[in-house]
Short mmCIF file of all heavy atoms in Angstrom, two decimals:
data_model
loop_
_atom_site.label_atom_id
_atom_site.label_comp_id
_atom_site.label_asym_id
_atom_site.label_seq_id
_atom_site.Cartn_x
_atom_site.Cartn_y
_atom_site.Cartn_z
N THR A 1 -1.72 -7.05 17.48
CA THR A 1 -0.91 -5.82 17.77
C THR A 1 -0.70 -5.04 16.55
O THR A 1 -0.95 -5.54 15.40
CB THR A 1 0.50 -6.20 18.36
OG1 THR A 1 1.25 -6.90 17.34
CG2 THR A 1 0.35 -7.12 19.59
N VAL A 2 -0.23 -3.78 16.70
CA VAL A 2 0.06 -2.99 15.51
C VAL A 2 1.13 -3.71 14.64
O VAL A 2 1.00 -3.72 13.44
CB VAL A 2 0.55 -1.57 15.91
CG1 VAL A 2 1.09 -0.78 14.74
CG2 VAL A 2 -0.58 -0.78 16.59
N TYR A 3 2.12 -4.29 15.29
CA TYR A 3 3.16 -5.00 14.54
C TYR A 3 2.57 -6.12 13.69
O TYR A 3 2.83 -6.21 12.56
CB TYR A 3 4.22 -5.56 15.52
CG TYR A 3 5.18 -6.50 14.85
CD1 TYR A 3 6.24 -6.01 14.14
CD2 TYR A 3 5.01 -7.85 14.91
CE1 TYR A 3 7.13 -6.88 13.48
CE2 TYR A 3 5.84 -8.77 14.29
CZ TYR A 3 6.90 -8.24 13.58
OH TYR A 3 7.77 -9.12 12.91
N ASP A 4 1.69 -6.96 14.35
CA ASP A 4 1.06 -8.09 13.57
C ASP A 4 0.26 -7.55 12.43
O ASP A 4 0.29 -8.10 11.30
CB ASP A 4 0.10 -8.86 14.49
CG ASP A 4 0.84 -9.60 15.60
OD1 ASP A 4 2.01 -9.91 15.45
OD2 ASP A 4 0.21 -9.88 16.64
N GLY A 5 -0.51 -6.45 12.63
CA GLY A 5 -1.28 -5.85 11.59
C GLY A 5 -0.45 -5.33 10.46
O GLY A 5 -0.79 -5.47 9.27
N LEU A 6 0.63 -4.65 10.82
CA LEU A 6 1.55 -4.15 9.77
C LEU A 6 2.17 -5.31 8.98
O LEU A 6 2.17 -5.16 7.72
CB LEU A 6 2.64 -3.30 10.40
CG LEU A 6 2.22 -1.89 10.90
CD1 LEU A 6 3.33 -1.26 11.74
CD2 LEU A 6 1.80 -1.01 9.76
N VAL A 7 2.59 -6.32 9.59
CA VAL A 7 3.18 -7.47 8.87
C VAL A 7 2.11 -7.99 7.89
O VAL A 7 2.43 -8.20 6.73
CB VAL A 7 3.65 -8.60 9.77
CG1 VAL A 7 4.01 -9.87 9.03
CG2 VAL A 7 4.86 -8.10 10.58
N ARG A 8 0.89 -8.23 8.35
CA ARG A 8 -0.20 -8.75 7.47
C ARG A 8 -0.46 -7.79 6.32
O ARG A 8 -0.61 -8.19 5.18
CB ARG A 8 -1.47 -8.95 8.24
CG ARG A 8 -1.43 -10.16 9.15
CD ARG A 8 -2.84 -10.58 9.57
NE ARG A 8 -2.77 -11.78 10.27
CZ ARG A 8 -2.92 -11.94 11.52
NH1 ARG A 8 -3.17 -10.88 12.34
NH2 ARG A 8 -2.89 -13.12 12.13
N LYS A 9 -0.45 -6.46 6.62
CA LYS A 9 -0.70 -5.49 5.57
C LYS A 9 0.46 -5.55 4.52
O LYS A 9 0.14 -5.58 3.34
CB LYS A 9 -0.77 -4.06 6.16
CG LYS A 9 -1.01 -3.01 5.12
CD LYS A 9 -0.99 -1.61 5.68
CE LYS A 9 -1.22 -0.59 4.57
NZ LYS A 9 -1.06 0.74 4.99
N PHE A 10 1.69 -5.55 4.99
CA PHE A 10 2.82 -5.59 4.07
C PHE A 10 2.88 -6.91 3.28
O PHE A 10 3.29 -6.94 2.11
CB PHE A 10 4.16 -5.34 4.78
CG PHE A 10 4.23 -3.95 5.36
CD1 PHE A 10 4.73 -3.81 6.64
CD2 PHE A 10 3.67 -2.86 4.76
CE1 PHE A 10 4.81 -2.55 7.20
CE2 PHE A 10 3.70 -1.57 5.34
CZ PHE A 10 4.27 -1.43 6.57
N GLU A 11 2.42 -8.02 3.87
CA GLU A 11 2.31 -9.27 3.13
C GLU A 11 1.36 -9.15 2.00
O GLU A 11 1.60 -9.59 0.87
CB GLU A 11 1.99 -10.45 4.09
CG GLU A 11 3.13 -10.82 4.99
CD GLU A 11 2.77 -11.84 6.05
OE1 GLU A 11 1.56 -12.11 6.26
OE2 GLU A 11 3.66 -12.41 6.70
N TYR A 12 0.27 -8.54 2.29
CA TYR A 12 -0.81 -8.39 1.27
C TYR A 12 -0.32 -7.45 0.18
O TYR A 12 -0.50 -7.76 -1.00
CB TYR A 12 -2.08 -7.85 1.89
CG TYR A 12 -3.21 -7.72 0.89
CD1 TYR A 12 -3.88 -8.83 0.41
CD2 TYR A 12 -3.55 -6.49 0.30
CE1 TYR A 12 -4.84 -8.76 -0.53
CE2 TYR A 12 -4.51 -6.39 -0.62
CZ TYR A 12 -5.17 -7.51 -1.07
OH TYR A 12 -6.12 -7.47 -2.04
N ILE A 13 0.32 -6.34 0.57
CA ILE A 13 0.86 -5.42 -0.43
C ILE A 13 1.88 -6.12 -1.30
O ILE A 13 1.91 -5.98 -2.52
CB ILE A 13 1.45 -4.11 0.24
CG1 ILE A 13 0.36 -3.26 0.77
CG2 ILE A 13 2.33 -3.38 -0.74
CD1 ILE A 13 0.85 -2.12 1.69
N HIS A 14 2.74 -6.99 -0.67
CA HIS A 14 3.72 -7.71 -1.40
C HIS A 14 3.06 -8.63 -2.44
O HIS A 14 3.55 -8.76 -3.58
CB HIS A 14 4.61 -8.53 -0.46
CG HIS A 14 5.75 -9.22 -1.12
ND1 HIS A 14 6.92 -8.57 -1.48
CD2 HIS A 14 5.92 -10.47 -1.56
CE1 HIS A 14 7.71 -9.35 -2.08
NE2 HIS A 14 7.16 -10.54 -2.14
N GLU A 15 1.99 -9.30 -2.06
CA GLU A 15 1.25 -10.17 -2.97
C GLU A 15 0.72 -9.38 -4.11
O GLU A 15 0.66 -9.89 -5.29
CB GLU A 15 0.06 -10.80 -2.25
CG GLU A 15 0.41 -11.89 -1.26
CD GLU A 15 -0.85 -12.36 -0.47
OE1 GLU A 15 -1.99 -12.23 -1.01
OE2 GLU A 15 -0.63 -12.93 0.60
N GLU A 16 0.35 -8.14 -3.90
CA GLU A 16 -0.19 -7.27 -4.98
C GLU A 16 0.90 -6.30 -5.45
O GLU A 16 0.58 -5.19 -5.99
CB GLU A 16 -1.45 -6.50 -4.49
CG GLU A 16 -2.67 -7.36 -4.26
CD GLU A 16 -3.32 -7.73 -5.54
OE1 GLU A 16 -2.98 -7.21 -6.61
OE2 GLU A 16 -4.29 -8.54 -5.47
N HIS A 17 2.14 -6.66 -5.29
CA HIS A 17 3.28 -5.75 -5.61
C HIS A 17 3.20 -5.14 -6.99
O HIS A 17 3.37 -3.93 -7.12
CB HIS A 17 4.60 -6.51 -5.46
CG HIS A 17 5.81 -5.68 -5.87
ND1 HIS A 17 6.24 -4.68 -5.08
CD2 HIS A 17 6.50 -5.64 -7.03
CE1 HIS A 17 7.27 -4.06 -5.72
NE2 HIS A 17 7.43 -4.63 -6.87
N LEU A 18 2.92 -5.94 -7.94
CA LEU A 18 2.84 -5.41 -9.36
C LEU A 18 1.85 -4.27 -9.45
O LEU A 18 2.16 -3.23 -10.00
CB LEU A 18 2.40 -6.52 -10.30
CG LEU A 18 2.43 -6.23 -11.80
CD1 LEU A 18 3.83 -5.95 -12.28
CD2 LEU A 18 1.78 -7.33 -12.56
N PHE A 19 0.72 -4.46 -8.86
CA PHE A 19 -0.31 -3.41 -8.92
C PHE A 19 0.05 -2.23 -8.10
O PHE A 19 -0.09 -1.13 -8.53
CB PHE A 19 -1.67 -3.95 -8.51
CG PHE A 19 -2.77 -2.98 -8.88
CD1 PHE A 19 -3.32 -2.96 -10.16
CD2 PHE A 19 -3.16 -2.02 -7.99
CE1 PHE A 19 -4.22 -2.01 -10.51
CE2 PHE A 19 -4.12 -1.09 -8.35
CZ PHE A 19 -4.69 -1.08 -9.64
N PHE A 20 0.49 -2.38 -6.87
CA PHE A 20 0.85 -1.28 -6.02
C PHE A 20 2.03 -0.50 -6.64
O PHE A 20 2.00 0.76 -6.60
CB PHE A 20 1.29 -1.72 -4.57
CG PHE A 20 0.15 -1.82 -3.62
CD1 PHE A 20 -0.44 -3.09 -3.37
CD2 PHE A 20 -0.36 -0.73 -2.99
CE1 PHE A 20 -1.51 -3.11 -2.49
CE2 PHE A 20 -1.42 -0.80 -2.05
CZ PHE A 20 -2.01 -2.02 -1.81
N SER A 21 2.93 -1.16 -7.21
CA SER A 21 4.07 -0.55 -7.85
C SER A 21 3.60 0.33 -9.02
O SER A 21 4.00 1.51 -9.11
CB SER A 21 5.07 -1.62 -8.40
OG SER A 21 6.20 -1.01 -8.92
N ALA A 22 2.72 -0.17 -9.85
CA ALA A 22 2.17 0.59 -10.98
C ALA A 22 1.33 1.75 -10.42
O ALA A 22 1.40 2.88 -10.97
CB ALA A 22 1.33 -0.26 -11.90
N ALA A 23 0.52 1.48 -9.41
CA ALA A 23 -0.39 2.50 -8.91
C ALA A 23 0.43 3.66 -8.32
O ALA A 23 0.10 4.82 -8.51
CB ALA A 23 -1.29 1.88 -7.85
N PHE A 24 1.50 3.36 -7.56
CA PHE A 24 2.30 4.42 -6.91
C PHE A 24 3.22 5.16 -7.98
O PHE A 24 3.73 6.15 -7.65
CB PHE A 24 3.15 3.87 -5.77
CG PHE A 24 2.37 3.63 -4.53
CD1 PHE A 24 2.60 2.47 -3.81
CD2 PHE A 24 1.44 4.53 -4.05
CE1 PHE A 24 1.92 2.25 -2.58
CE2 PHE A 24 0.73 4.32 -2.88
CZ PHE A 24 0.96 3.16 -2.17
N SER A 25 3.30 4.63 -9.12
CA SER A 25 4.19 5.18 -10.18
C SER A 25 3.40 6.07 -11.09
O SER A 25 4.03 6.78 -11.95
CB SER A 25 4.84 4.11 -11.00
OG SER A 25 5.65 3.32 -10.20
N THR A 26 2.11 6.10 -11.07
CA THR A 26 1.25 6.87 -12.03
C THR A 26 1.17 8.34 -11.64
O THR A 26 1.51 8.71 -10.52
CB THR A 26 -0.15 6.33 -12.13
OG1 THR A 26 -0.84 6.54 -10.85
CG2 THR A 26 -0.17 4.83 -12.45
N ASP A 27 0.79 9.14 -12.60
CA ASP A 27 0.54 10.57 -12.29
C ASP A 27 -0.45 10.78 -11.19
O ASP A 27 -0.43 11.80 -10.54
CB ASP A 27 0.07 11.30 -13.60
CG ASP A 27 1.11 11.37 -14.64
OD1 ASP A 27 2.33 11.32 -14.34
OD2 ASP A 27 0.76 11.49 -15.87
N SER A 28 -1.38 9.85 -11.03
CA SER A 28 -2.41 9.98 -10.06
C SER A 28 -1.93 9.47 -8.68
O SER A 28 -2.71 9.40 -7.78
CB SER A 28 -3.69 9.26 -10.44
OG SER A 28 -3.44 7.90 -10.63
N SER A 29 -0.62 9.15 -8.58
CA SER A 29 -0.13 8.53 -7.36
C SER A 29 -0.26 9.45 -6.18
O SER A 29 -0.40 8.96 -5.06
CB SER A 29 1.32 8.00 -7.50
OG SER A 29 2.18 9.08 -7.66
N ASN A 30 -0.24 10.73 -6.36
CA ASN A 30 -0.40 11.68 -5.21
C ASN A 30 -1.76 11.45 -4.60
O ASN A 30 -1.87 11.47 -3.35
CB ASN A 30 -0.15 13.09 -5.57
CG ASN A 30 1.36 13.40 -5.85
OD1 ASN A 30 2.16 12.73 -5.25
ND2 ASN A 30 1.62 14.41 -6.61
N ASN A 31 -2.81 11.27 -5.42
CA ASN A 31 -4.10 11.01 -4.91
C ASN A 31 -4.17 9.68 -4.20
O ASN A 31 -4.79 9.53 -3.15
CB ASN A 31 -5.16 11.00 -6.05
CG ASN A 31 -5.38 12.37 -6.62
OD1 ASN A 31 -5.16 13.36 -5.95
ND2 ASN A 31 -5.80 12.44 -7.83
N LEU A 32 -3.48 8.70 -4.76
CA LEU A 32 -3.45 7.33 -4.15
C LEU A 32 -2.73 7.39 -2.78
O LEU A 32 -3.13 6.80 -1.81
CB LEU A 32 -2.81 6.33 -5.05
CG LEU A 32 -3.53 6.10 -6.42
CD1 LEU A 32 -2.74 5.18 -7.30
CD2 LEU A 32 -4.92 5.64 -6.17
N ARG A 33 -1.65 8.11 -2.73
CA ARG A 33 -0.88 8.30 -1.47
C ARG A 33 -1.70 9.01 -0.46
O ARG A 33 -1.70 8.64 0.73
CB ARG A 33 0.43 9.01 -1.69
CG ARG A 33 1.41 8.18 -2.51
CD ARG A 33 2.60 8.92 -2.89
NE ARG A 33 3.35 8.15 -3.88
CZ ARG A 33 4.49 8.56 -4.47
NH1 ARG A 33 5.09 9.67 -4.08
NH2 ARG A 33 5.10 7.81 -5.30
N GLU A 34 -2.44 10.04 -0.91
CA GLU A 34 -3.26 10.78 0.01
C GLU A 34 -4.38 9.91 0.54
O GLU A 34 -4.73 9.94 1.72
CB GLU A 34 -3.86 12.02 -0.72
CG GLU A 34 -4.83 12.86 0.15
CD GLU A 34 -4.19 13.55 1.40
OE1 GLU A 34 -2.93 13.67 1.43
OE2 GLU A 34 -4.91 13.83 2.34
N HIS A 35 -4.94 9.09 -0.35
CA HIS A 35 -5.99 8.17 0.07
C HIS A 35 -5.48 7.15 1.10
O HIS A 35 -6.14 6.90 2.10
CB HIS A 35 -6.54 7.50 -1.17
CG HIS A 35 -7.71 6.55 -0.87
ND1 HIS A 35 -8.94 6.99 -0.49
CD2 HIS A 35 -7.78 5.20 -0.91
CE1 HIS A 35 -9.72 6.03 -0.27
NE2 HIS A 35 -9.11 4.86 -0.49
N ASP A 36 -4.29 6.62 0.84
CA ASP A 36 -3.65 5.68 1.75
C ASP A 36 -3.47 6.38 3.09
O ASP A 36 -3.73 5.81 4.18
CB ASP A 36 -2.34 5.15 1.19
CG ASP A 36 -1.71 4.01 1.95
OD1 ASP A 36 -2.45 3.43 2.80
OD2 ASP A 36 -0.57 3.77 1.75
N PHE A 37 -2.97 7.56 3.10
CA PHE A 37 -2.74 8.40 4.34
C PHE A 37 -4.03 8.54 5.05
O PHE A 37 -4.10 8.36 6.30
CB PHE A 37 -2.09 9.77 4.00
CG PHE A 37 -2.25 10.73 5.07
CD1 PHE A 37 -1.44 10.58 6.27
CD2 PHE A 37 -3.12 11.81 5.02
CE1 PHE A 37 -1.55 11.51 7.29
CE2 PHE A 37 -3.23 12.69 6.07
CZ PHE A 37 -2.48 12.56 7.22
N ARG A 38 -5.10 8.90 4.40
CA ARG A 38 -6.38 9.12 5.06
C ARG A 38 -6.93 7.84 5.72
O ARG A 38 -7.39 7.84 6.79
CB ARG A 38 -7.45 9.68 4.09
CG ARG A 38 -7.29 11.06 3.72
CD ARG A 38 -7.82 12.00 4.77
NE ARG A 38 -7.10 13.23 4.74
CZ ARG A 38 -6.66 13.93 5.82
NH1 ARG A 38 -6.98 13.50 7.00
NH2 ARG A 38 -5.99 14.98 5.70
#
């Protein structure tokens, strides 16, 4: 289900928290957010 998929996605993001945190904090984060959106 969408719920199961979201939980798995967030678990993976949590595992890579350090990187996602740095990636979303950079000047290029707007591009990263746009890429995530797409």
Side-chain angles (χ1 to χ4, degrees):
T1 65
V2 170
Y3 170 81
D4 294 334
L6 286 169
V7 170
R8 284 196 175 108
K9 179 182 180 186
F10 297 140
E11 286 171 348
Y12 183 76
I13 289 172
H14 186 81
E15 287 173 23
E16 290 283 352
H17 174 77
L18 184 67
F19 192 84
F20 272 98
S21 186
F24 284 139
S25 299
T26 67
D27 289 337
S28 60
S29 67
N30 286 335
N31 290 336
L32 299 176
R33 291 172 193 182
E34 179 64 21
H35 184 68
D36 190 15
F37 164 70
R38 286 279 151 220

